[in-house]
Amino acid sequence: MKTKSNLLLALFACFMITACSTSVERLDSQEQVDLSGAWNDTDSQLVAREMIEDSLSRPWITRFITRTGNDPAVIVGTVKNLSHEHINTNVFIANMERELINSGQVQFVASATARQEIRDERSDQAVNATQDTRNAKSQEYGADFMLQGQINTIIDIDGKTQVRYYQVNLELISMQDNRKVWIGEKKIKKLVRFSKLRQ
């Protein structure tokens, strides 16, 4: 009887260990996975790609090249998260920067944070680097346009069903005279049905 009890106890312990263990599966980084219906990496990549492609297909870029003979220099400014949920806008900004640089149609200027770090390094070089290897100050490339925007949401809920609506608005602004040369808008709508077992 005691042996049977010990066996049952051992089986129960094995069951509990198995039931409580964590399972990890590696996925392709390009695979689309949507677990909660919230903004995710797929949304960030798709919206960045589509909006940058749209911006670079508009007349402002041709007009600038015709007038100056140069590719425009662009910097990405602030993208505000005005949504109901936490969205890492740094990831979205990085996705847009990648699309801009890889397009080959614009020159790209580093962000304010990155520029400050580089300026600190140049100041250090002025004191510590040899004259033939140091980089001089006041040689930075100025941006011609700044890209700014915001992410908004509207959440409609009925019981365990939600419609999650995302709207991303971006504006490209001339640094010379504050003119808006492009305004882009991307909308995403998701229907989310939660399991009856979910609390």
Side-chain angles (χ1 to χ4, degrees):
M1 190 71 174
K2 188 174 182 181
T3 305
K4 189 174 182 182
S5 297
N6 288 342
L7 181 60
L8 288 173
L9 187 61
L11 288 172
F12 180 74
C14 287
F15 172 77
M16 290 302 293
I17 290 169
T18 305
C20 297
S21 66
T22 300
S23 173
V24 176
E25 178 186 352
R26 292 192 181 275
L27 303 173
D28 187 312
S29 60
Q30 299 302 313
E31 185 175 345
Q32 296 185 22
V33 179
D34 210 331
L35 298 177
S36 66
W39 177 276
N40 60 26
D41 62 315
T42 300
D43 298 317
S44 181
Q45 292 172 25
L46 291 176
V47 171
R49 183 179 306 119
E50 290 183 22
M51 296 194 81
I52 296 303
E53 284 178 358
D54 181 69
S55 71
L56 296 176
S57 69
R58 301 299 180 171
W60 70 270
I61 190 167
T62 305
R63 290 175 184 157
F64 182 87
I65 294 171
T66 301
R67 179 168 57 86
T68 65
N70 299 315
D71 291 337
V74 178
I75 185 171
V76 177
T78 303
V79 176
K80 297 178 182 178
N81 176 20
L82 303 179
S83 73
H84 294 79
E85 63 191 63
H86 171 73
I87 294 176
N88 188 339
T89 56
N90 289 333
V91 173
F92 181 53
I93 288 171
N95 287 332
M96 290 193 294
E97 290 176 341
R98 184 188 66 249
E99 294 297 329
L100 283 166
I101 293 170
N102 292 344
S103 73
Q105 295 180 254
V106 299
Q107 300 180 69
F108 195 80
V109 179
S111 68
T113 303
R115 289 198 310 273
Q116 188 55 56
E117 187 174 0
I118 294 166
R119 288 170 186 156
D120 292 343
E121 172 60 21
R122 272 199 295 265
S123 295
D124 185 75
Q125 286 184 6
V127 176
N128 299 302
T130 60
Q131 187 170 357
D132 58 330
T133 62
R134 71 177 61 136
N135 290 283
K137 295 181 179 181
S138 303
Q139 301 297 312
E140 296 181 19
Y141 203 101
D144 300 302
F145 300 93
M146 178 177 280
L147 187 65
Q148 296 177 324
Q150 59 187 36
I151 303 172
N152 291 281
T153 55
I154 299 173
I155 309 296
D156 189 17
I157 302 173
D158 182 20
K160 294 189 177 298
T161 303
Q162 290 185 4
V163 173
R164 305 178 75 93
Y165 172 82
Y166 297 87
Q167 182 169 310
V168 182
N169 294 94
L170 296 175
E171 299 177 341
L172 192 65
I173 302 169
S174 168
M175 298 289 289
Q176 182 180 33
D177 52 18
N178 294 334
R179 286 180 304 115
K180 295 180 181 182
V181 299
W182 172 79
I183 296 177
E185 181 179 271
K186 174 65 178 175
K187 301 173 182 178
I188 298 174
K189 186 179 283 190
K190 300 181 181 183
L191 177 63
V192 183
R193 294 187 179 93
F194 294 113
S195 166
K196 293 180 180 179
L197 298 175
R198 181 167 176 162
Q199 298 297 319

